[in-house]
Amino acid sequence: MTGLADAAAPPAFGPTAAPRIVIVEDDAAMRDSLVWLVESVGHETLAYESADAFLAEARLPCIGCVVTDMRMPGTSGLGLIEKLRARQSLLPVVVITAFASVRDAVTAMQLGAVNFLEKPFHDQDLLDLLNDAVAETRDTARACCRARAAAERLETLTARELEVMRVMAEGLRNKEIARALDISPKTVEIHRQRALAKLEVGSAVEVHRLLETATDAAPCTAFRDFS
Amino acid sequence: MTGLADAAAPPAFGPTAAPRIVIVEDDAAMRDSLVWLVESVGHETLAYESADAFLAEARLPCIGCVVTDMRMPGTSGLGLIEKLRARQSLLPVVVITAFASVRDAVTAMQLGAVNFLEKPFHDQDLLDLLNDAVAETRDTARACCRARAAAERLETLTARELEVMRVMAEGLRNKEIARALDISPKTVEIHRQRALAKLEVGSAVEVHRLLETATDAAPCTAFRDFS
DNA sequence: CTATGGATAGGGGAAAACCCCTACACCGGG
DNA sequence: CCCGGTGTAGGGGTTTTCCCCTATCCATAG
Protein backbone atom coordinates (compact mmCIF):
# COMPACT_ATOMS: atom_id res chain seq x y z
CA MET A 1 0.00 0.00 0.00
CA THR A 2 2.15 2.84 -1.24
CA GLY A 3 -0.62 5.03 -2.58
CA LEU A 4 0.83 4.69 -6.04
CA ALA A 5 -0.80 2.82 -8.91
CA ASP A 6 0.65 -0.35 -10.39
CA ALA A 7 4.15 -0.09 -11.72
CA ALA A 8 3.07 -1.95 -14.85
CA ALA A 9 1.12 0.96 -16.38
CA PRO A 10 2.57 4.38 -15.55
CA PRO A 11 0.05 6.06 -13.24
CA ALA A 12 -1.76 9.22 -14.29
CA PHE A 13 -0.89 10.59 -10.87
CA GLY A 14 2.06 10.87 -8.54
CA PRO A 15 5.82 11.23 -8.96
CA THR A 16 6.11 8.52 -11.60
CA ALA A 17 3.32 9.79 -13.85
CA ALA A 18 4.17 10.56 -17.45
CA PRO A 19 5.20 14.21 -17.77
CA ARG A 20 2.88 16.58 -19.57
CA ILE A 21 4.25 19.66 -21.26
CA VAL A 22 1.82 22.54 -21.32
CA ILE A 23 2.14 24.88 -24.31
CA VAL A 24 0.53 28.28 -23.91
CA GLU A 25 0.82 30.32 -27.10
CA ASP A 26 -1.71 32.46 -28.95
CA ASP A 27 -0.10 32.12 -32.36
CA ALA A 28 -1.42 28.91 -33.89
CA ALA A 29 1.58 28.30 -36.14
CA MET A 30 4.04 28.78 -33.30
CA ARG A 31 1.89 26.63 -31.01
CA ASP A 32 1.77 23.78 -33.50
CA SER A 33 5.47 24.04 -34.04
CA LEU A 34 6.13 23.83 -30.29
CA VAL A 35 3.77 20.87 -29.93
CA TRP A 36 5.52 19.13 -32.79
CA LEU A 37 8.94 19.81 -31.27
CA VAL A 38 8.02 18.60 -27.81
CA GLU A 39 6.12 15.54 -29.04
CA SER A 40 9.02 14.64 -31.30
CA VAL A 41 10.97 13.62 -28.21
CA GLY A 42 8.06 11.61 -26.87
CA HIS A 43 6.51 14.01 -24.40
CA GLU A 44 2.78 14.29 -23.99
CA THR A 45 1.56 17.86 -24.62
CA LEU A 46 -1.39 20.01 -23.68
CA ALA A 47 -1.77 23.08 -25.89
CA TYR A 48 -3.77 26.21 -25.06
CA GLU A 49 -4.22 29.42 -27.01
CA SER A 50 -4.32 31.54 -23.88
CA ALA A 51 -3.17 31.45 -20.28
CA ASP A 52 -6.76 31.78 -19.15
CA ALA A 53 -7.80 28.69 -21.12
CA PHE A 54 -5.10 26.71 -19.32
CA LEU A 55 -5.92 28.19 -15.94
CA ALA A 56 -9.57 27.25 -16.45
CA GLU A 57 -8.57 23.60 -16.04
CA ALA A 58 -9.81 22.18 -12.76
CA ARG A 59 -6.73 20.02 -12.35
CA LEU A 60 -3.27 21.09 -13.37
CA PRO A 61 -0.52 18.66 -14.33
CA CYS A 62 1.81 17.80 -11.52
CA ILE A 63 4.70 16.28 -13.41
CA GLY A 64 5.77 18.35 -16.38
CA CYS A 65 6.49 21.91 -17.36
CA VAL A 66 4.79 24.96 -18.80
CA VAL A 67 6.11 26.65 -21.91
CA THR A 68 4.43 29.97 -22.36
CA ASP A 69 4.53 32.99 -24.61
CA MET A 70 4.93 36.36 -22.92
CA ARG A 71 2.45 38.59 -24.74
CA MET A 72 -0.97 37.11 -25.28
CA PRO A 73 -4.57 38.25 -25.15
CA GLY A 74 -5.83 38.08 -21.58
CA THR A 75 -3.43 36.97 -18.86
CA SER A 76 0.20 37.49 -19.82
CA GLY A 77 3.04 35.07 -19.34
CA LEU A 78 4.01 36.82 -16.13
CA GLY A 79 0.41 36.73 -14.93
CA LEU A 80 0.32 33.03 -15.68
CA ILE A 81 3.28 32.36 -13.41
CA GLU A 82 1.69 34.41 -10.64
CA LYS A 83 -1.65 32.65 -10.95
CA LEU A 84 -0.03 29.23 -11.02
CA ARG A 85 1.85 29.99 -7.82
CA ALA A 86 -1.33 31.39 -6.27
CA ARG A 87 -2.88 27.99 -6.98
CA GLN A 88 0.06 26.34 -5.20
CA SER A 89 1.23 24.74 -8.41
CA LEU A 90 4.96 24.10 -8.38
CA LEU A 91 5.00 23.52 -12.13
CA PRO A 92 8.14 25.07 -13.63
CA VAL A 93 7.59 27.68 -16.31
CA VAL A 94 9.74 28.48 -19.32
CA VAL A 95 8.91 31.80 -20.97
CA ILE A 96 9.57 32.25 -24.68
CA THR A 97 8.98 35.52 -26.41
CA ALA A 98 9.93 37.57 -29.42
CA PHE A 99 9.67 40.98 -27.78
CA ALA A 100 11.56 40.72 -24.55
CA SER A 101 12.32 43.53 -22.16
CA VAL A 102 14.90 43.18 -19.44
CA ARG A 103 12.28 44.20 -16.89
CA ASP A 104 9.98 41.38 -17.91
CA ALA A 105 12.79 38.88 -17.94
CA VAL A 106 13.89 39.89 -14.44
CA THR A 107 10.34 39.81 -13.16
CA ALA A 108 9.74 36.39 -14.68
CA MET A 109 12.90 35.03 -13.10
CA GLN A 110 11.97 36.52 -9.74
CA LEU A 111 8.58 34.84 -10.00
CA GLY A 112 10.42 31.57 -10.37
CA ALA A 113 10.56 30.98 -14.10
CA VAL A 114 13.27 28.49 -14.94
CA ASN A 115 14.33 30.40 -18.01
CA PHE A 116 13.36 33.14 -20.41
CA LEU A 117 14.11 32.31 -24.03
CA GLU A 118 14.11 34.78 -26.86
CA LYS A 119 12.74 33.74 -30.26
CA PRO A 120 14.30 32.42 -32.27
CA PHE A 121 15.85 29.83 -30.00
CA HIS A 122 17.58 26.53 -30.53
CA ASP A 123 15.17 23.62 -30.30
CA GLN A 124 17.61 21.62 -28.26
CA ASP A 125 17.96 24.40 -25.70
CA LEU A 126 14.25 24.21 -24.97
CA LEU A 127 14.26 20.41 -24.82
CA ASP A 128 17.18 20.45 -22.41
CA LEU A 129 15.35 22.88 -20.18
CA LEU A 130 12.25 20.70 -20.25
CA ASN A 131 14.17 17.62 -19.21
CA ASP A 132 15.65 19.37 -16.21
CA ALA A 133 12.33 20.93 -15.27
CA VAL A 134 10.49 17.62 -15.46
CA ALA A 135 13.08 15.92 -13.31
CA GLU A 136 12.67 18.70 -10.80
CA THR A 137 8.91 18.22 -10.66
CA ARG A 138 9.46 14.56 -9.96
CA ASP A 139 11.64 15.43 -6.99
CA THR A 140 9.19 17.92 -5.58
CA ALA A 141 6.31 15.53 -6.18
CA ARG A 142 8.13 12.85 -4.26
CA ALA A 143 8.71 15.27 -1.41
CA CYS A 144 5.05 16.26 -1.54
CA CYS A 145 3.96 12.62 -1.31
CA ARG A 146 6.16 12.05 1.69
CA ALA A 147 4.93 15.22 3.34
CA ARG A 148 1.34 14.35 2.61
CA ALA A 149 1.76 10.85 4.01
CA ALA A 150 3.28 12.34 7.15
CA ALA A 151 0.52 14.92 7.47
CA GLU A 152 -2.17 12.29 7.00
CA ARG A 153 -0.78 10.14 9.75
CA LEU A 154 -0.58 13.16 12.01
CA GLU A 155 -4.22 13.95 11.25
CA THR A 156 -5.30 10.67 12.83
CA LEU A 157 -4.14 11.99 16.19
CA THR A 158 -6.46 13.74 18.60
CA ALA A 159 -5.68 17.36 19.45
CA ARG A 160 -4.18 16.41 22.77
CA GLU A 161 -2.08 13.63 21.33
CA LEU A 162 -0.69 16.00 18.74
CA GLU A 163 0.09 18.50 21.47
CA VAL A 164 2.02 15.87 23.39
CA MET A 165 3.85 14.85 20.22
CA ARG A 166 4.87 18.43 19.52
CA VAL A 167 6.33 18.89 22.97
CA MET A 168 7.97 15.48 22.87
CA ALA A 169 9.52 16.34 19.50
CA GLU A 170 11.30 19.22 21.22
CA GLY A 171 13.26 16.67 23.20
CA LEU A 172 11.47 16.82 26.56
CA ARG A 173 10.84 13.62 28.50
CA ASN A 174 7.50 12.47 29.86
CA LYS A 175 7.89 14.20 33.19
CA GLU A 176 8.79 17.50 31.56
CA ILE A 177 5.96 17.21 29.05
CA ALA A 178 3.60 16.66 31.98
CA ARG A 179 4.81 19.86 33.63
CA ALA A 180 4.64 21.76 30.34
CA LEU A 181 1.04 20.72 29.69
CA ASP A 182 0.10 20.73 33.39
CA ILE A 183 -1.21 17.17 33.45
CA SER A 184 -0.13 13.97 35.16
CA PRO A 185 2.95 12.16 33.82
CA LYS A 186 0.71 9.13 33.62
CA THR A 187 -1.62 10.87 31.20
CA VAL A 188 1.30 11.96 29.09
CA GLU A 189 2.37 8.35 28.98
CA ILE A 190 -1.04 7.31 27.66
CA HIS A 191 -1.18 9.98 24.97
CA ARG A 192 2.37 9.29 23.98
CA GLN A 193 1.85 5.58 23.69
CA ARG A 194 -1.36 5.89 21.69
CA ALA A 195 0.13 8.54 19.41
CA LEU A 196 3.30 6.54 18.73
CA ALA A 197 1.14 3.53 17.89
CA LYS A 198 -1.01 5.57 15.50
CA LEU A 199 2.04 7.09 13.86
CA GLU A 200 3.71 3.70 13.70
CA VAL A 201 6.98 5.04 15.03
CA GLY A 202 9.03 4.11 18.03
CA SER A 203 10.98 7.15 19.10
CA ALA A 204 10.80 10.86 19.69
CA VAL A 205 13.28 11.46 16.91
CA GLU A 206 11.03 9.83 14.34
CA VAL A 207 8.15 11.99 15.52
CA HIS A 208 10.36 15.02 15.16
CA ARG A 209 11.13 14.09 11.58
CA LEU A 210 7.49 13.36 10.85
CA LEU A 211 6.47 16.79 12.10
CA GLU A 212 9.26 18.37 10.09
CA THR A 213 8.45 16.73 6.78
CA ALA A 214 4.76 17.43 7.31
CA THR A 215 5.35 21.16 7.80
CA ASP A 216 8.18 21.52 5.30
CA ALA A 217 5.99 20.95 2.27
CA ALA A 218 2.81 22.24 3.87
CA PRO A 219 1.74 24.36 0.87
CA CYS A 220 1.60 21.29 -1.32
CA THR A 221 -1.84 19.97 -0.50
CA ALA A 222 -1.30 16.46 -1.76
CA PHE A 223 -1.97 17.31 -5.36
CA ARG A 224 -5.49 18.43 -4.59
CA ASP A 225 -6.28 20.20 -7.90
CA PHE A 226 -3.20 18.58 -9.47
CA SER A 227 -2.67 15.34 -11.30
CA MET B 1 29.46 34.28 26.31
CA THR B 2 27.55 34.58 23.13
CA GLY B 3 30.49 34.82 20.84
CA LEU B 4 29.41 38.32 19.85
CA ALA B 5 31.21 41.49 20.75
CA ASP B 6 29.79 44.09 23.12
CA ALA B 7 26.45 45.50 22.11
CA ALA B 8 27.79 48.96 22.88
CA ALA B 9 30.04 49.15 19.81
CA PRO B 10 28.69 47.26 16.78
CA PRO B 11 31.12 44.43 16.05
CA ALA B 12 33.07 44.32 12.81
CA PHE B 13 32.06 40.70 12.52
CA GLY B 14 28.97 38.53 12.82
CA PRO B 15 25.27 38.99 12.20
CA THR B 16 25.03 42.35 13.94
CA ALA B 17 27.98 43.97 12.20
CA ALA B 18 27.37 47.20 10.33
CA PRO B 19 26.45 46.40 6.73
CA ARG B 20 28.94 47.29 4.02
CA ILE B 21 27.76 48.02 0.50
CA VAL B 22 30.30 47.09 -2.14
CA ILE B 23 30.21 49.25 -5.27
CA VAL B 24 31.90 47.77 -8.33
CA GLU B 25 31.84 50.20 -11.24
CA ASP B 26 34.54 51.18 -13.71
CA ASP B 27 33.11 54.61 -14.49
CA ALA B 28 34.44 56.99 -11.86
CA ALA B 29 31.55 59.44 -12.07
CA MET B 30 28.95 56.72 -11.78
CA ARG B 31 30.88 55.08 -8.97
CA ASP B 32 31.07 58.30 -6.98
CA SER B 33 27.40 58.90 -7.56
CA LEU B 34 26.54 55.44 -6.28
CA VAL B 35 28.76 55.88 -3.25
CA TRP B 36 27.13 59.20 -2.51
CA LEU B 37 23.66 57.71 -2.86
CA VAL B 38 24.33 54.74 -0.64
CA GLU B 39 26.20 56.74 1.98
CA SER B 40 23.40 59.29 2.03
CA VAL B 41 21.25 56.74 3.85
CA GLY B 42 24.01 55.95 6.31
CA HIS B 43 25.52 52.81 4.84
CA GLU B 44 29.23 52.17 4.86
CA THR B 45 30.59 51.66 1.35
CA LEU B 46 33.55 49.95 -0.29
CA ALA B 47 34.15 51.13 -3.85
CA TYR B 48 36.19 49.31 -6.50
CA GLU B 49 36.84 50.16 -10.11
CA SER B 50 36.85 46.53 -11.19
CA ALA B 51 35.47 43.18 -10.08
CA ASP B 52 39.03 41.86 -9.88
CA ALA B 53 40.06 44.61 -7.48
CA PHE B 54 37.22 43.62 -5.18
CA LEU B 55 37.89 39.91 -5.53
CA ALA B 56 41.53 40.54 -4.60
CA GLU B 57 40.40 41.29 -1.05
CA ALA B 58 41.40 38.53 1.34
CA ARG B 59 38.25 38.92 3.38
CA LEU B 60 34.87 39.73 1.89
CA PRO B 61 32.12 41.50 3.78
CA CYS B 62 29.58 39.20 5.35
CA ILE B 63 26.76 41.61 6.09
CA GLY B 64 25.92 43.85 3.17
CA CYS B 65 25.37 43.73 -0.55
CA VAL B 66 27.25 44.09 -3.82
CA VAL B 67 26.17 46.61 -6.42
CA THR B 68 27.98 45.96 -9.66
CA ASP B 69 28.09 47.18 -13.19
CA MET B 70 27.72 44.58 -15.92
CA ARG B 71 30.36 45.52 -18.47
CA MET B 72 33.77 46.33 -17.07
CA PRO B 73 37.40 45.70 -17.94
CA GLY B 74 38.42 42.29 -16.65
CA THR B 75 35.85 40.16 -14.88
CA SER B 76 32.30 41.08 -15.85
CA GLY B 77 29.35 41.49 -13.51
CA LEU B 78 28.26 37.93 -14.26
CA GLY B 79 31.76 36.65 -13.65
CA LEU B 80 31.79 38.48 -10.35
CA ILE B 81 28.68 36.66 -9.18
CA GLU B 82 30.16 33.34 -10.23
CA LYS B 83 33.46 34.01 -8.49
CA LEU B 84 31.76 35.19 -5.32
CA ARG B 85 29.72 31.99 -5.18
CA ALA B 86 32.84 29.96 -5.89
CA ARG B 87 34.31 31.59 -2.80
CA GLN B 88 31.23 30.53 -0.80
CA SER B 89 30.20 34.13 -0.32
CA LEU B 90 26.47 34.45 0.13
CA LEU B 91 26.62 38.20 -0.45
CA PRO B 92 23.62 39.29 -2.53
CA VAL B 93 24.41 41.03 -5.79
CA VAL B 94 22.46 43.76 -7.56
CA VAL B 95 23.50 44.29 -11.18
CA ILE B 96 23.06 47.70 -12.76
CA THR B 97 23.84 48.35 -16.37
CA ALA B 98 23.13 50.63 -19.26
CA PHE B 99 23.44 48.06 -22.02
CA ALA B 100 21.35 45.15 -20.90
CA SER B 101 20.55 42.06 -22.91
CA VAL B 102 17.82 39.68 -21.88
CA ARG B 103 20.34 36.85 -21.96
CA ASP B 104 22.58 38.56 -19.45
CA ALA B 105 19.67 39.45 -17.22
CA VAL B 106 18.43 35.88 -17.20
CA THR B 107 21.90 34.52 -16.55
CA ALA B 108 22.46 36.97 -13.73
CA MET B 109 19.17 36.02 -12.11
CA GLN B 110 19.95 32.32 -12.49
CA LEU B 111 23.28 32.92 -10.79
CA GLY B 112 21.34 34.33 -7.87
CA ALA B 113 21.41 38.08 -8.42
CA VAL B 114 18.67 39.73 -6.42
CA ASN B 115 17.85 42.14 -9.23
CA PHE B 116 19.04 43.53 -12.50
CA LEU B 117 18.48 47.28 -12.83
CA GLU B 118 18.73 49.24 -16.05
CA LYS B 119 20.22 52.71 -16.01
CA PRO B 120 18.73 55.11 -15.43
CA PHE B 121 17.00 53.77 -12.33
CA HIS B 122 15.19 55.34 -9.43
CA ASP B 123 17.50 55.91 -6.49
CA GLN B 124 14.88 54.67 -4.09
CA ASP B 125 14.48 51.40 -5.98
CA LEU B 126 18.13 50.60 -5.40
CA LEU B 127 18.00 51.63 -1.75
CA ASP B 128 14.95 49.43 -1.19
CA LEU B 129 16.74 46.49 -2.76
CA LEU B 130 19.76 47.10 -0.55
CA ASN B 131 17.69 47.12 2.61
CA ASP B 132 16.09 43.78 1.78
CA ALA B 133 19.40 42.30 0.73
CA VAL B 134 21.15 43.41 3.91
CA ALA B 135 18.38 42.00 6.07
CA GLU B 136 18.75 38.74 4.21
CA THR B 137 22.47 38.59 4.87
CA ARG B 138 21.77 39.07 8.56
CA ASP B 139 19.45 36.07 8.54
CA THR B 140 21.90 33.88 6.70
CA ALA B 141 24.75 35.05 8.94
CA ARG B 142 22.72 34.14 11.99
CA ALA B 143 22.05 30.70 10.54
CA CYS B 144 25.76 30.36 9.76
CA CYS B 145 26.68 31.23 13.34
CA ARG B 146 24.28 28.67 14.71
CA ALA B 147 25.51 26.04 12.27
CA ARG B 148 29.09 26.83 13.11
CA ALA B 149 28.46 26.61 16.83
CA ALA B 150 26.79 23.25 16.33
CA ALA B 151 29.61 21.98 14.14
CA GLU B 152 32.21 23.12 16.66
CA ARG B 153 30.55 21.27 19.48
CA LEU B 154 30.34 18.18 17.31
CA GLU B 155 34.05 18.46 16.56
CA THR B 156 34.88 17.94 20.24
CA LEU B 157 33.54 14.39 19.94
CA THR B 158 35.76 11.42 19.17
CA ALA B 159 35.06 9.53 15.96
CA ARG B 160 33.30 6.75 17.80
CA GLU B 161 31.20 9.10 19.84
CA LEU B 162 30.08 10.90 16.71
CA GLU B 163 29.24 7.60 15.13
CA VAL B 164 27.05 6.68 18.09
CA MET B 165 25.42 10.11 17.97
CA ARG B 166 24.61 9.72 14.29
CA VAL B 167 22.94 6.38 14.80
CA MET B 168 21.15 7.62 17.91
CA ALA B 169 19.88 10.63 15.95
CA GLU B 170 18.13 8.19 13.64
CA GLY B 171 15.91 7.22 16.55
CA LEU B 172 17.47 3.90 17.57
CA ARG B 173 17.83 3.03 21.24
CA ASN B 174 20.99 1.91 22.97
CA LYS B 175 20.44 -1.79 22.32
CA GLU B 176 19.80 -1.19 18.63
CA ILE B 177 22.77 1.11 18.32
CA ALA B 178 24.89 -1.61 19.89
CA ARG B 179 23.71 -4.10 17.28
CA ALA B 180 24.19 -1.60 14.47
CA LEU B 181 27.77 -0.84 15.49
CA ASP B 182 28.44 -4.41 16.68
CA ILE B 183 29.58 -3.40 20.16
CA SER B 184 28.25 -3.99 23.64
CA PRO B 185 25.21 -1.97 24.74
CA LYS B 186 27.29 -0.96 27.69
CA THR B 187 29.88 0.66 25.48
CA VAL B 188 27.19 2.48 23.59
CA GLU B 189 25.95 3.77 26.91
CA ILE B 190 29.39 5.16 27.71
CA HIS B 191 29.88 6.86 24.37
CA ARG B 192 26.37 8.20 24.47
CA GLN B 193 26.73 9.61 27.94
CA ARG B 194 30.09 11.24 27.23
CA ALA B 195 28.89 12.66 23.93
CA LEU B 196 25.69 14.09 25.41
CA ALA B 197 27.75 15.71 28.14
CA LYS B 198 30.16 17.22 25.62
CA LEU B 199 27.30 18.48 23.47
CA GLU B 200 25.48 19.78 26.53
CA VAL B 201 22.20 18.27 25.44
CA GLY B 202 19.92 15.81 27.12
CA SER B 203 18.00 13.98 24.44
CA ALA B 204 18.34 12.23 21.12
CA VAL B 205 16.09 14.83 19.50
CA GLU B 206 18.45 17.64 20.41
CA VAL B 207 21.33 15.69 18.93
CA HIS B 208 19.30 15.20 15.79
CA ARG B 209 18.74 18.93 15.51
CA LEU B 210 22.37 19.65 16.22
CA LEU B 211 23.46 17.34 13.42
CA GLU B 212 20.89 18.89 11.11
CA THR B 213 21.86 22.49 11.70
CA ALA B 214 25.52 21.57 11.44
CA THR B 215 25.09 20.01 8.02
CA ASP B 216 22.41 22.39 6.70
CA ALA B 217 24.77 25.33 6.43
CA ALA B 218 27.88 23.28 5.84
CA PRO B 219 29.17 25.41 2.95
CA CYS B 220 29.35 28.43 5.21
CA THR B 221 32.71 27.90 6.83
CA ALA B 222 32.17 30.19 9.77
CA PHE B 223 33.05 33.33 7.89
CA ARG B 224 36.53 32.09 7.22
CA ASP B 225 37.53 34.65 4.56
CA PHE B 226 34.52 36.80 5.48
CA SER B 227 33.97 39.54 7.98
C1' DC C 1 59.09 3.32 29.63
C1' DT C 2 55.31 5.63 31.35
C1' DA C 3 51.51 8.67 30.99
C1' DT C 4 47.51 9.81 28.56
C1' DG C 5 43.48 9.28 26.04
C1' DG C 6 40.29 6.47 23.55
C1' DA C 7 37.50 2.19 22.88
C1' DT C 8 36.03 -1.63 24.95
C1' DA C 9 33.18 -4.04 28.76
C1' DG C 10 30.98 -5.01 33.13
C1' DG C 11 28.39 -4.29 38.17
C1' DG C 12 24.86 -2.22 40.58
C1' DG C 13 21.31 0.85 41.91
C1' DA C 14 18.02 4.74 41.03
C1' DA C 15 15.10 6.68 37.75
C1' DA C 16 12.48 6.72 33.86
C1' DA C 17 10.15 4.73 30.17
C1' DC C 18 7.22 1.12 28.48
C1' DC C 19 3.14 -1.85 28.53
C1' DC C 20 -0.52 -4.32 30.47
C1' DC C 21 -4.77 -3.45 33.31
C1' DT C 22 -8.86 -0.59 35.56
C1' DA C 23 -11.41 3.68 36.25
C1' DC C 24 -14.16 7.92 35.77
C1' DA C 25 -15.94 12.23 33.76
C1' DC C 26 -17.52 14.36 29.65
C1' DC C 27 -19.79 14.84 25.30
C1' DG C 28 -22.09 13.87 21.14
C1' DG C 29 -24.60 10.34 18.10
C1' DG C 30 -27.59 6.53 17.33
C1' DC D 1 -30.46 6.43 27.29
C1' DC D 2 -26.57 4.06 26.51
C1' DC D 3 -22.42 3.68 23.65
C1' DG D 4 -18.07 5.14 21.79
C1' DG D 5 -14.41 8.33 21.66
C1' DT D 6 -11.58 11.35 24.38
C1' DG D 7 -8.99 13.18 28.29
C1' DT D 8 -7.89 12.24 32.63
C1' DA D 9 -5.46 9.27 36.35
C1' DG D 10 -3.53 5.33 38.87
C1' DG D 11 -1.46 0.19 39.87
C1' DG D 12 1.97 -2.97 38.89
C1' DG D 13 5.56 -5.25 36.46
C1' DT D 14 9.18 -5.41 32.82
C1' DT D 15 12.58 -3.12 30.23
C1' DT D 16 15.59 0.54 29.37
C1' DT D 17 18.04 4.41 30.53
C1' DC D 18 20.98 6.92 33.48
C1' DC D 19 24.85 7.45 36.44
C1' DC D 20 28.16 6.02 39.70
C1' DC D 21 32.19 2.70 39.98
C1' DT D 22 36.23 -0.52 38.15
C1' DA D 23 38.99 -2.59 34.46
C1' DT D 24 41.52 -4.06 30.22
C1' DC D 25 43.64 -3.25 25.59
C1' DC D 26 45.96 -0.30 22.54
C1' DA D 27 48.21 3.48 20.38
C1' DT D 28 50.53 7.67 20.74
C1' DA D 29 53.00 11.38 23.04
C1' DG D 30 56.45 12.74 26.15
Side-chain angles (χ1 to χ4, degrees):
Chain A
M1 288 280 252
T2 61
L4 299 176
D6 295 308
F13 183 91
T16 58
R20 274 171 292 174
I21 310 299
V22 177
I23 315 273
V24 180
E25 165 68 72
D26 59 326
D27 180 69
M30 186 67 195
R31 190 168 63 241
D32 290 347
S33 138
L34 282 170
V35 167
W36 178 86
L37 170 64
V38 172
E39 290 190 344
S40 76
V41 293
H43 283 135
E44 191 178 331
T45 59
L46 297 170
Y48 301 88
E49 66 172 7
S50 75
D52 298 306
F54 170 44
L55 289 166
E57 295 285 349
R59 297 173 70 85
L60 306 179
C62 176
I63 303 298
C65 182
V66 174
V67 178
T68 182
D69 192 8
M70 190 68 204
R71 302 195 185 172
M72 294 174 289
T75 301
S76 71
L78 292 185
L80 172 57
I81 305 179
E82 280 175 337
K83 288 178 183 175
L84 277 179
R85 299 301 175 246
R87 277 177 68 171
Q88 319 271 302
S89 170
L90 299 172
L91 220 46
V93 176
V94 175
V95 180
I96 44 181
T97 178
F99 313 99
S101 80
V102 169
R103 271 222 68 68
D104 287 345
V106 169
T107 308
M109 297 303 291
Q110 284 178 331
L111 286 172
V114 299
N115 213 317
F116 193 98
L117 291 180
E118 285 179 284
K119 299 178 197 171
F121 55 87
H122 294 297
D123 289 357
Q124 194 55 47
D125 287 350
L126 177 60
L127 296 178
D128 289 347
L129 285 176
L130 292 186
N131 278 335
D132 292 349
V134 166
E136 192 190 305
T137 59
R138 287 205 200 283
D139 291 344
T140 58
R142 261 186 280 269
C144 274
C145 281
R146 276 196 298 273
R148 191 62 214 155
E152 269 167 10
R153 279 199 280 175
L154 287 171
E155 277 161 17
T156 67
L157 301 183
T158 68
R160 201 57 162 163
E161 285 165 352
L162 183 58
E163 212 170 340
V164 170
M165 286 300 98
R166 284 196 199 285
V167 180
M168 188 177 71
E170 297 300 310
L172 283 69
R173 42 176 140 274
N174 286 357
K175 253 193 174 175
E176 299 169 315
I177 300 171
R179 267 199 300 277
L181 299 182
D182 197 37
I183 53 180
S184 156
K186 206 69 190 180
T187 307
V188 171
E189 207 181 302
I190 300 293
H191 288 316
R192 173 197 179 113
Q193 194 177 335
R194 273 211 272 263
L196 288 181
K198 282 183 187 176
L199 298 177
E200 296 172 35
V201 296
S203 72
V205 176
E206 289 173 271
V207 173
H208 182 257
R209 281 206 298 236
L210 211 56
L211 286 168
E212 258 189 344
T213 57
T215 53
D216 269 6
C220 157
T221 29
F223 304 61
R224 204 174 33 89
D225 301 349
F226 309 112
S227 62
Chain B
M1 286 282 250
T2 60
L4 299 175
D6 295 312
F13 183 91
T16 58
R20 276 172 291 173
I21 310 298
V22 177
I23 315 273
V24 181
E25 164 69 70
D26 58 325
D27 180 70
M30 185 67 197
R31 188 169 63 241
D32 290 347
S33 140
L34 282 170
V35 167
W36 177 87
L37 170 64
V38 172
E39 289 189 344
S40 75
V41 293
H43 283 133
E44 192 178 329
T45 59
L46 298 169
Y48 301 88
E49 66 172 5
S50 75
D52 298 306
F54 169 45
L55 289 165
E57 296 284 350
R59 297 172 70 84
L60 306 179
C62 177
I63 303 297
C65 183
V66 175
V67 178
T68 182
D69 192 8
M70 190 69 207
R71 302 194 185 175
M72 295 174 293
T75 302
S76 71
L78 292 186
L80 173 55
I81 305 179
E82 279 175 338
K83 288 178 183 174
L84 278 178
R85 300 302 175 242
R87 275 177 70 171
Q88 318 272 302
S89 170
L90 298 172
L91 220 46
V93 176
V94 175
V95 179
I96 42 182
T97 180
F99 313 99
S101 79
V102 169
R103 271 220 66 70
D104 287 344
V106 169
T107 307
M109 297 303 291
Q110 284 178 330
L111 285 172
V114 299
N115 213 318
F116 193 96
L117 291 179
E118 286 178 284
K119 299 177 197 169
F121 55 87
H122 293 297
D123 289 357
Q124 195 54 47
D125 286 351
L126 177 60
L127 296 178
D128 289 346
L129 284 177
L130 293 185
N131 279 334
D132 292 349
V134 166
E136 192 190 305
T137 59
R138 287 205 200 284
D139 291 344
T140 58
R142 260 186 280 268
C144 275
C145 282
R146 275 195 298 274
R148 190 62 213 152
E152 270 167 11
R153 280 199 280 173
L154 287 171
E155 277 161 16
T156 66
L157 301 183
T158 68
R160 202 58 163 161
E161 284 165 351
L162 182 58
E163 212 169 340
V164 170
M165 287 298 98
R166 284 195 199 285
V167 180
M168 188 177 70
E170 297 298 312
L172 282 71
R173 43 175 143 276
N174 287 357
K175 253 191 176 177
E176 301 169 316
I177 300 171
R179 266 199 301 276
L181 299 182
D182 197 35
I183 54 178
S184 154
K186 205 67 191 180
T187 308
V188 172
E189 208 180 304
I190 300 293
H191 288 316
R192 173 200 177 110
Q193 193 178 334
R194 273 210 272 263
L196 289 181
K198 282 183 186 175
L199 298 177
E200 296 172 37
V201 296
S203 71
V205 176
E206 288 173 272
V207 174
H208 182 255
R209 281 206 299 236
L210 210 58
L211 286 168
E212 257 190 347
T213 59
T215 53
D216 267 8
C220 155
T221 27
F223 305 62
R224 201 173 36 86
D225 300 348
F226 310 110
S227 63

